[in-house]
Amino acid sequence: MIASYPQARLRRTRATAWSRALHREVLITPADLIWPLFVTEGSGVEQPIASLPGVSRWSVDGIVARAREAVDLGIPCLALFPNTQAERRSDDGREALNPDNLMCRAIKAIRDACGDAIGILTDVALDPYTSHGQDGLVNTAGYVENDATVDVLVGQSLNQAAAGADIIAPSDMMDGRVGAIRDALERDGHANVQIMSYAAKYASAFYGPFRDAVGSRGLLKGDKKTYQMDPGNAEEALREVELDLAEGADSVMVKPGLPYLDIAVRVKEAFGVPVFAYQVSGEYAMIEAAVAAGAGERDALVLETLLAFKRAGCSGVLTYHAAHAARLLGA
Ligand SMILES: NCC(=O)CCC(=O)O
Ligand SMILES: [Mg+2]
């Protein structure tokens, strides 16, 4: 028998703060956060990103300072993205393979400064390196070629792993890249380098500020709909996840975050593997715009959205609010 009113009063356990704390089903902690950071050339450089208020690109020394800050805040992992100089961008994105590129220098500098106190996740896709802003190699018809792109992504992954990356995170949505990268990592002596695949990445309108941050917004011709997923599809996301797991992904990501929370829930329920969500740049910008308009209070909005990811079953969240949230949670 399930009691009903008046025996059952669900408001009873909500009546006091201690009781609400006692009955809370999930928690968000700094250990649930991955902090995405944008790297730029130079030294002592901080470049604020207008469409991402409160977020800057940092030169490598500044990235190291952010890494130390993250360690102090209890944030376990950083995600790095390069703002590649225009003259180093090309049709084939070959700068991604340069062992001395901005990413590799940032990885090594963080490792030198912080040792194993923090994880370094590196994004694998060619959009920060191509002159056309697409994630892969474009043929004469303008189509992003799958298998030729995978070959380059394997080289990019090995380059990042050699520099010291802990988690390779392919965000390109080419078919078969997880298996190809896993094989190459095993052969190259990187058995313990993880793969977090952007398994269900949607062709979303929420990525605009990120493209400003890595400098690809003005370059991108067309869209990414031939490789990123259609926002109407959920069953297909489960197939994407199934394939990436079969190919050796250690964890999977759903991206964007809040608009695709149903996908995170379904992936978690179907596979029971570590699922991460990326609260993307447009989501961050929406919160900041709401705060600027007086429509909401930043701290409460940030913590509520992050808690929602945990409630949905996510192991963690990539969020540009990571440091701010960790400060709130540590207080
Ligand atoms: N591969 C990483 C992203 O595309 C991030 C998108 C965003 O933050 O909008
Ligand atoms: Mg896939």
Side-chain angles (χ1 to χ4, degrees), residues 6-7 63 78-79 88-89 119 127-128 131 162 169 213 232 255 271 276 317:
Q7 291 87 354
I63 290 290
L78 305 174
R88 290 192 170 268
R89 288 174 172 264
D127 53 321
S131 43
K255 179 182 168 192
F271 299 101
F276 290 82
V317 190

Side-chain angles (χ1 to χ4, degrees), residues 81 123 171 198 201 206-207 210 255 278 280-281 320:
F81 301 95
D123 198 84
S171 71
Y198 289 72
K201 177 174 180 177
F206 284 94
Y207 304 147
F210 174 89
K255 179 182 168 192
Y278 200 139
V280 299
S281 60
Y320 302 98

Side-chain angles (χ1 to χ4, degrees), residues 137-163:
L137 303 178
V138 180
N139 69 17
T140 48
Y143 186 74
V144 173
E145 291 277 10
N146 195 85
D147 300 7
T149 297
V150 170
D151 289 342
V152 185
L153 299 177
V154 166
Q156 181 181 19
S157 303
L158 292 179
N159 192 32
Q160 294 172 349

